[in-house]
Amino acid sequence: MIKNELSMRQTAVIMCVLGAASKLMLWPTSLASACGNALWLPPLVDTAVQTAAVWAVALIGSKTGKTLFELFSQSFTKPVACAIYALLSLFFVLSAVVPMSEQQLMVHEVFYDTIPSIWVFLPFFFFSVYAGSKGLTNAGRTAECCLPLFIVSMLFLLSLAVTECDFNLLLPVLDSPAGDIAKACFGGMHRSINGVYMAVFAGNFRYKRGDAAKISAACATGGIIVSAVCALFYAQYGELALTQYFAVAKLAVFSPVVALVGRLDLIAVYVLDAAILFSIVLNIQAAVYCMYCVTGREWHPLYSLLCNGALFAVTLLFNNSFALVQRAAESYLSVAAAAFTFALPALAWTAYAVAKAGNGRGRTAAAERGGK
């Protein structure tokens, strides 16, 4: 039997570690191209939006103790709930496309001296099919395993990077046009979907007082880490940052330690890549969970195979067109991400109000029947 129970700690770790990991590949470079030395600001803005959505959904879960699917089914009817979760499933599969493509490019550029065949990336899909067929409980456990790896590797890379930074390159603060910053914030919405993840996790763990605030704080911490990486990246490369791909692999290049010992930082990048892989697979696990809610059938291996089959087809079709995929994601997938981020909390609170009103009417009718 597939298990979907999580703990508050696991949910918080997912929000912080896995929520940050997938943003560390090409997003800093894209932000440097979009808004120059203000590249650290869009991650903070997007994180603030996601943190508010996470808090709103988590609070609903703490009040009802139900999953959003159960809450929507009770308040809006089951077909409506199924329609919402079917759309969520499609959204999660599409959300995996960009980080998966970035992972493929990162494997090719960082870990190989020559450009390998696309088939070198094939083991990812075997791993993704297997991990995606597991429930949310597995996602929580793997996130906890990634936590120490993420902390150690990030501390190592950042400590090497900070000694070679020229923070004057970040001045003047907010010198970039407001329109460019706003465009970068919107274009990154498809990368910041913690609020949408929370719609899947809500109701799958036991709440205690203050848990919504703790999970929200973890989400905010992940965003601050991404913003710090962006700032250190630009403080090292300046205007050249927009030509330097995979910031996390370039942070420690100029460190005296690296010059003396060699590319010791690549070990940390290898370790960090484990968290990145699980952050990508999290989209598949979330999509599979949504399919399970819609069908009521525990056919997780089949669902995972279908999701990964779609991703494999996209990989073959757009193998040499990553720029096109990224532009499409920034233009269209970000719209869907923003819609889900704002709509799901609103729908959850509406469903809660409807359910509460229905319970109130039920108690009143019961009291009247008892009086008679």
Side-chain angles (χ1 to χ4, degrees):
M1 181 177 179
I2 302 296
K3 295 182 179 180
N4 293 304
E5 294 82 6
L6 294 166
S7 68
M8 186 284 296
R9 170 187 165 84
Q10 290 172 338
T11 306
V13 172
I14 290 173
M15 290 294 160
C16 179
V17 174
L18 301 189
S22 64
K23 301 180 181 72
L24 299 176
M25 291 183 285
L26 282 179
W27 199 23
T29 303
S30 299
L31 291 173
S33 177
C35 51
N37 67 350
L39 77 168
W40 54 270
L41 183 57
L44 290 183
V45 174
D46 287 351
T47 298
V49 173
Q50 295 300 321
T51 300
V54 166
W55 178 81
V57 175
L59 192 60
I60 281 291
S62 68
K63 287 180 176 294
T64 64
K66 299 178 180 179
T67 66
L68 287 197
F69 184 81
E70 293 170 340
L71 187 59
F72 291 160
S73 296
Q74 178 185 347
S75 300
F76 302 144
T77 72
K78 189 172 182 178
V80 172
C82 288
I84 294 172
Y85 269 62
L87 290 174
L88 272 176
S89 179
L90 176 61
F91 171 75
F92 283 126
V93 173
L94 293 175
S95 294
V97 172
V98 170
M100 181 196 65
S101 301
E102 290 181 350
Q103 175 67 15
Q104 180 189 355
L105 293 176
M106 183 172 170
V107 167
H108 289 180
E109 179 171 317
V110 178
F111 300 147
Y112 286 88
D113 293 329
T114 58
I115 299 177
S117 166
I118 185 177
W119 300 107
V120 170
F121 193 62
L122 188 61
F124 166 81
F125 293 100
F126 292 111
F127 163 72
S128 183
V129 168
Y130 173 76
S133 65
K134 304 300 179 180
L136 297 182
T137 299
N138 177 265
R141 290 171 180 170
T142 54
E144 286 188 304
C145 293
C146 289
L147 177 61
L149 302 178
F150 182 82
I151 292 175
V152 171
S153 58
M154 286 306 303
L155 285 177
F156 181 74
L157 291 171
L158 294 179
S159 63
L160 292 180
V162 73
T163 59
E164 301 302 313
C165 290
D166 179 8
F167 292 101
N168 289 323
L169 293 173
L170 298 174
L171 301 175
V173 177
L174 302 182
D175 186 48
S176 300
D180 290 346
I181 295 175
K183 186 177 179 180
C185 292
F186 175 77
M189 284 293 289
H190 70 95
R191 300 177 184 272
S192 298
I193 57 173
N194 282 4
V196 190
Y197 286 140
M198 194 64 217
V200 172
F201 301 148
N204 283 305
F205 59 92
R206 295 181 179 179
Y207 288 87
K208 296 179 182 178
R209 185 178 179 85
D211 281 357
K214 293 175 183 177
I215 295 171
S216 301
C219 177
T221 301
I224 291 171
I225 292 172
V226 175
S227 181
V229 169
C230 289
L232 292 177
F233 177 57
Y234 199 88
Q236 282 193 334
Y237 290 95
E239 294 183 356
L240 293 177
L242 55 89
T243 64
Q244 301 297 317
Y245 300 109
F246 307 108
V248 72
K250 304 290 181 66
L251 283 176
V253 170
F254 300 116
S255 170
V257 175
V258 172
L260 181 64
V261 181
R263 292 303 305 275
L264 190 64
D265 61 307
L266 283 181
I267 298 176
V269 177
Y270 275 111
V271 173
L272 181 62
D273 197 49
I276 295 175
L277 283 173
F278 281 111
S279 71
I280 299 171
V281 172
L282 180 64
N283 290 289
I284 305 303
Q285 292 170 320
V288 168
Y289 173 78
C290 291
M291 291 180 178
Y292 159 66
C293 289
V294 171
T295 63
R297 304 286 185 177
E298 290 190 355
W299 296 341
H300 291 61
L302 175 61
Y303 302 148
S304 180
L305 188 62
L306 291 173
C307 292
N308 282 282
L311 290 178
F312 183 65
V314 169
T315 301
L316 293 178
L317 186 61
F318 296 101
N319 183 41
N320 296 314
S321 306
F322 175 72
L324 175 63
V325 172
Q326 194 166 34
R327 286 196 299 271
E330 291 175 354
S331 299
Y332 303 109
L333 192 57
S334 288
V335 174
F340 277 119
T341 297
F342 291 108
L344 286 173
L347 286 171
W349 279 94
T350 302
Y352 173 66
V354 170
K356 192 173 181 180
N359 290 337
R361 288 194 297 268
R363 286 193 296 268
T364 300
E368 291 176 353
R369 288 195 298 270
K372 292 179 180 179

